[in-house]
Amino acid sequence: MHRQQIDYALARRATLARIRAGEVQLKDVCDADTYLLRAAKFHGQSTDRPCPVCRKEQVTQVSWLFGSTIGGPSGTARTEPEIAVLATRSPEFTVHVVEVCRTCRWNYLIQSYVAGVPARATKRRRAAK
């Protein structure tokens, strides 16, 4: 289950509008590095949404994990099934979902959420005397 979900759709739309208005150059937004492109190829989830910039192929979603308590998986791309398994046995971690076009190198953070086993409350109530 996704908690504390943040959707970046409005910011994405604003960026795309700025591109179309000529306020932002393509080189500033179509800058996916080789590591992200490889992650899209091997760990990404295909979508039916065309790239909003080049429209030559569908964007791929890549999920990145971050969290000091999950050890090795932190800072890596993982598939949805891998995230689901980690979420059942690992302490809380954050997932950042990035859409990537492997043709023009467009990439944008579209969503983030918290997954994993929630931390228990550490405060205890005092017994009334």
Side-chain angles (χ1 to χ4, degrees):
M1 182 171 138
H2 301 178
R3 298 181 306 281
Q4 300 175 17
Q5 187 169 340
I6 300 171
D7 187 335
Y8 296 95
L10 291 176
R12 179 182 175 273
R13 273 189 238 148
T15 298
L16 290 168
R18 291 181 67 209
I19 292 169
R20 290 184 192 105
E23 297 172 11
V24 175
Q25 294 184 2
L26 289 180
K27 68 179 178 118
D28 295 330
V29 292
C30 294
D31 60 353
D33 66 15
T34 304
Y35 191 62
L36 179 55
L37 295 173
R38 282 189 193 141
K41 181 177 181 181
F42 295 108
H43 301 286
Q45 178 180 344
S46 299
T47 70
D48 59 356
R49 295 186 320 272
C51 173
V53 176
C54 73
R55 304 216 181 271
K56 291 181 181 174
E57 73 172 70
Q58 284 77 25
V59 293
T60 302
Q61 288 187 184
V62 182
S63 297
W64 294 91
L65 289 94
F66 297 97
S68 59
T69 59
I70 60 171
S74 183
T76 63
R78 298 294 170 141
T79 63
E80 288 299 320
E82 290 173 318
I83 293 170
V85 169
L86 278 169
T88 63
R89 63 178 187 209
S90 297
E92 287 186 328
F93 56 93
T94 303
V95 179
H96 292 192
V97 182
V98 178
E99 71 176 10
V100 181
C101 175
R102 293 188 295 154
T103 299
C104 74
R105 300 172 82 109
W106 159 261
N107 63 105
Y108 203 87
L109 174 65
I110 58 170
Q111 178 186 62
S112 67
Y113 61 90
V114 173
V117 179
R120 291 187 175 190
T122 58
K123 293 183 179 179
R124 293 186 180 183
R125 290 187 178 192
R126 290 186 186 192
K129 291 185 179 182

